Amino acid sequence: MPQTASPLHTGGHDLPASAELSRFMTESWAPSALPESARVPAHAVTPARRARLSARFPGERLLVPAGELTVRSNDCDHRFRPHSAYAWLTGLTGEDQAGAVLVMEPSGPHAHEAVLYLRPRSPRVDGDEEFYRDRRHGEFWVGRRPDLAEAERLTGIRCAHLDALGTPTGRSAATDPELASALGELRLVKDAWEIEQLQLAVDHTTAGFEDVVRALPRALAHPRGERWIEGVFGLRARAEGNGTGYETIAASGAHACVLHWIRNDGRLHRDELLLLDAGVETDSLYTADITRTLPLSGRFSPVQRQVYELVLAAQDAGIAALRPGACFRDFHRAAMGVISEGLVEWGVLKDARGDLHRRYTLCGSGHMLGLDVHDCAKARAETYLDGVLEEGQVLTVEPGLYLQPDDETLPAELRGIGVRIEDDLVVTAEGARLMSGALPRTVAGIEEWMGAQLDTRS
């Protein structure tokens, strides 16, 4: 992971700067320091996180890179989001973190000193053109970065210029599976500040779902109604946070049977369902993950109600299984037991035993949630998938039925219906608290809520 001084990134159509212009550009700029009191929002909680990581790897040099910019097209980059472990340890979440590396330097047999190597604000001195000419890093092109002293105040971490890192040695979270697993496992239990951020993400997501329902009349009239829905939710996500925590799934009709339908290029039909799976990511990078399946007419048809209520019963069973000490997989097993029995009652399956129900459910019924929508995915199975739940863990419960439109094992009236219900919960001493309870889940609740939103639309 070598780091070297980067060449100036200028557009091919830019003229060279004259010496006179270079001198002129460095003159007569007013001071513009960041406020002395500025701190990253997670400033108070990151030291304890770094101490926990230090205790896992005594005496070893650890590297946690933020990641690099990735070209989208020619000289245009994708939006940059720092690696979740880097954000968790530093509190830095902005697009200006591209290329930065947190280094945990051993400072004794059982301690580390954190040093943050980053690209500081460009000096406005004669001969340095980066601040006004560099399209990738220049302040006048992509915005201001803190200088080293400001970065130290913001984070409470000693900071150094990225060029001073050279070719680093040690364990890197980008390449070392053991370190990557440890960083996932350390994040399995959320601290109180993280739970607050996740609740904020859920609350903004709730508002986004309300926006979507109010926008349904215009979406129904548009030839790409799914895209309209995606755009409406995306506006809320960008207005309230960093954006969406993952690509929004706006799936109408049989598109709902495609688990990760993100093309969102279909028309909406009043007699069909809309499966909306979406989450706002806060500026601190914590994301919600909520799914509702909504009748586009405002009312469920009898067969839509039949499918929806079976999925809801499965979700209720899964939620009831959440408690400290329960196996992580217990809530999935509980939900699938309900689904299997229901499929037998419908005559789709002959026996609830076995795993034949998976033809219609396809995937697991939930996952950890946090800085990543599928949080802590690098954690070892024995600590996560095959582990037990602990107070402070945040997860989703999201059973679904995906009844493919060409599945001849199904009665014709069931084909092409996809239903998923997904909520976010935090494990408590008593069981679990429903963080997304402001959005209705029952048939009657959804119909009443949709009616109210449509009555108040502007």
Side-chain angles (χ1 to χ4, degrees):
M1 190 177 59
Q3 300 287 344
T4 59
S6 61
L8 200 66
H9 296 272
T10 58
H13 51 275
D14 287 349
L15 292 171
S18 67
E20 183 180 12
L21 174 63
S22 182
R23 286 192 300 272
F24 182 60
M25 288 300 296
T26 62
E27 297 173 353
S28 304
W29 299 108
S32 56
L34 294 181
E36 289 282 337
S37 60
R39 301 289 186 274
V40 295
H43 186 277
V45 294
T46 54
R49 297 172 182 175
R50 294 191 295 271
R52 291 170 61 200
L53 177 62
S54 175
R56 291 282 290 265
F57 296 92
E60 298 193 69
R61 192 174 197 241
L62 309 176
L63 313 173
V64 184
E68 300 288 348
L69 289 165
T70 301
V71 173
R72 180 186 184 276
S73 175
N74 192 24
D75 59 351
C76 297
D77 294 314
H78 285 283
R79 276 191 185 277
F80 178 79
R81 180 195 186 278
H83 190 281
S84 294
Y86 174 90
W88 187 71
L89 292 166
T90 66
L92 293 165
T93 61
E95 294 189 39
D96 59 342
Q97 296 305 303
V101 182
L102 175 69
V103 179
M104 301 286 285
E105 297 280 5
S107 58
H110 302 290
H112 289 79
E113 180 193 16
V115 184
L116 185 57
Y117 291 87
L118 46 75
R119 183 186 303 277
R121 188 183 191 186
S122 305
R124 299 185 187 183
V125 296
D126 191 12
D128 192 324
E129 300 177 343
E130 182 185 87
F131 76 96
Y132 71 95
R133 293 202 67 203
D134 193 316
R135 291 167 176 251
R136 203 174 210 194
H137 304 295
E139 184 172 335
F140 288 5
W141 287 92
V142 297
R144 189 196 193 287
R145 298 187 301 273
D147 63 31
L148 293 179
E150 290 169 339
E152 289 192 3
R153 288 198 303 272
L154 283 168
T155 63
I157 302 171
R158 181 163 73 85
C159 295
H161 198 293
L162 186 59
D163 292 348
L165 182 57
T167 303
T169 59
R171 288 179 178 258
S172 171
T175 58
D176 187 298
E178 186 178 356
L179 177 56
S181 292
L183 286 165
E185 290 162 11
L186 289 170
R187 290 172 26 226
L188 279 168
V189 175
K190 273 51 180 180
D191 57 40
W193 185 84
E194 291 181 289
I195 293 171
E196 290 175 1
Q197 294 300 302
L198 284 162
Q199 186 63 63
L200 181 63
V202 167
D203 294 344
H204 289 323
T205 301
T206 297
F209 274 70
E210 292 169 349
D211 295 340
V212 163
V213 173
R214 286 193 290 268
L216 281 178
R218 295 190 70 180
L220 281 159
H222 196 278
R224 284 189 169 184
E226 291 176 344
R227 290 271 172 95
W228 196 278
I229 295 303
E230 177 186 354
V232 168
F233 187 86
L235 174 60
R236 175 66 67 172
R238 285 295 283 172
E240 304 289 2
N242 189 52
T244 55
Y246 53 95
E247 294 293 331
T248 297
I249 298 169
S252 63
H255 289 167
C257 299
V258 181
L259 293 182
H260 287 170
W261 176 261
I262 60 173
R263 298 180 200 174
N264 299 341
D265 59 359
R267 181 182 284 277
L268 307 183
H269 297 280
R270 287 185 58 84
D271 59 348
E272 293 181 337
L273 299 173
L274 170 70
L275 188 157
L276 177 61
D277 186 334
V280 172
E281 180 180 83
T282 62
D283 291 330
S284 59
L285 305 187
Y286 288 84
T287 186
D289 182 9
I290 298 173
T291 305
R292 288 294 183 269
T293 306
L294 309 173
L296 287 166
S297 67
R299 295 277 177 178
F300 289 91
S301 71
V303 70
Q304 291 169 350
R305 177 190 291 259
Q306 173 188 345
V307 177
Y308 187 93
E309 289 190 332
L310 178 56
V311 176
L312 179 62
Q315 192 197 33
D316 286 340
I319 291 172
L322 298 179
R323 64 183 185 281
C327 293
F328 172 81
R329 297 185 190 272
D330 282 353
F331 74 89
H332 171 67
R333 295 187 182 104
M336 292 303 97
V338 172
I339 292 285
S340 296
E341 293 289 349
L343 291 172
V344 170
E345 290 179 13
W346 294 353
V348 172
L349 290 179
K350 295 180 180 180
D351 193 330
R353 293 170 295 185
D355 63 355
L356 297 187
H357 64 275
R358 293 177 63 178
R359 178 178 176 119
Y360 313 102
T361 61
L362 298 176
C363 68
S365 300
H367 50 81
M368 293 296 178
L369 185 67
L371 283 165
D372 296 317
V373 64
H374 298 146
D375 208 31
C376 310
K378 299 291 186 181
R380 293 168 296 168
E382 58 264 33
T383 65
Y384 178 1
L385 298 176
D386 297 326
V388 298
L389 296 178
E390 297 182 49
E391 185 175 355
Q393 290 180 336
V394 178
L395 70 161
T396 71
V397 177
E398 52 168 324
L401 272 173
Y402 311 100
L403 309 177
Q404 304 297 332
D406 55 352
D407 189 342
E408 294 182 342
T409 69
L410 295 168
E413 68 272 15
L414 290 176
R415 298 175 195 172
I417 296 177
V419 173
R420 178 163 66 252
I421 311 170
E422 180 176 22
D423 283 278
D424 304 340
L425 300 104
V426 56
V427 178
T428 66
E430 295 77 30
R433 175 172 65 85
L434 186 63
M435 303 175 76
S436 48
L439 282 174
R441 298 165 54 238
T442 65
V443 166
I446 285 174
E447 292 178 344
E448 180 181 359
W449 170 71
M450 290 184 70
Q453 296 302 317
L454 291 168
D455 285 345
T456 60
R457 69 183 185 275
S458 56

